[in-house]
Amino acid sequence: MLIILSGLSGVGKTTIARELARQLGAVHVRIDSIEQAIRDAKGDNGSLDETGYRIGYAVALDNLRVGRTVIADSVNPIGISRNAWLEVAIRAQVHAIEVEVKCSDAEEHRSRLENRVEDIAGPPPLTWQAVIAREYHAWNREHLVIDTAVSSVEQAVRIIQENAG
């Protein structure tokens, strides 16, 4: 199974992904980690376009093909990347579930973003302005939505597991 977690920075995707991966024994494919490793290898903090996502798709596909559950953790802001994750599931012939993680309380979201402990060394932490200005398209298909302003990590993990069937 491919579990695709999407949403703006600071909403809780990675926290949920880590706990879900721990409980399921799943592979956690985190695009932020992939992108920073590429930047480190190149020695700069320039734009990567879709490079990190393309590597993530390949890593996910390899793991799905050997029977592992994969949790994809990325902002996944536009239809092209969302469709590409679904294509990975189709190619691996596995079920996919798309989960949009939100934080409906803007003050809480901002506080989480500004107070989180960065676990990836690299460019300066994102600012609130950068997060809210980011291109992020509305969804145009059915998907699961989890609001971390009202759901704990444990509740979010349970909801995903229940919907993943």
Side-chain angles (χ1 to χ4, degrees), residues 8-10 106-107 109-116 124-136:
L8 290 172
S9 298
E107 287 182 31
H109 183 185
R110 182 176 185 163
S111 176
R112 289 178 190 173
L113 180 79
E114 292 176 346
N115 294 303
R116 70 181 176 177
L126 288 172
T127 65
W128 176 244
Q129 189 57 41
V131 169
I132 61 173
R134 179 161 190 163
E135 179 179 19
Y136 190 87

Side-chain angles (χ1 to χ4, degrees), residues 77-97:
I78 60 175
I80 292 169
S81 62
R82 295 172 190 159
N83 292 339
W85 282 117
L86 290 180
E87 182 61 30
V88 168
I90 291 167
R91 289 178 61 201
Q93 299 179 342
V94 300
H95 176 68
I97 180 171

Side-chain angles (χ1 to χ4, degrees), residues 23-59:
Q23 288 188 26
L24 298 177
V27 175
H28 176 205
V29 176
R30 184 179 179 198
I31 299 304
D32 287 347
S33 297
I34 293 169
E35 289 178 339
Q36 191 54 49
I38 295 167
R39 287 185 190 101
D40 291 346
K42 290 174 53 177
D44 69 38
N45 284 320
S47 172
L48 299 175
D49 298 317
E50 77 271 4
T51 303
Y53 276 83
R54 288 182 177 265
I55 292 167
Y57 304 147
V59 170

Side-chain angles (χ1 to χ4, degrees), residues 146-164:
I146 294 179
D147 184 350
T148 59
V150 297
S151 294
S152 67
V153 173
E154 295 77 19
Q155 290 168 324
V157 167
R158 188 174 60 251
I159 291 166
I160 294 167
Q161 288 177 324
E162 288 169 357
N163 282 274

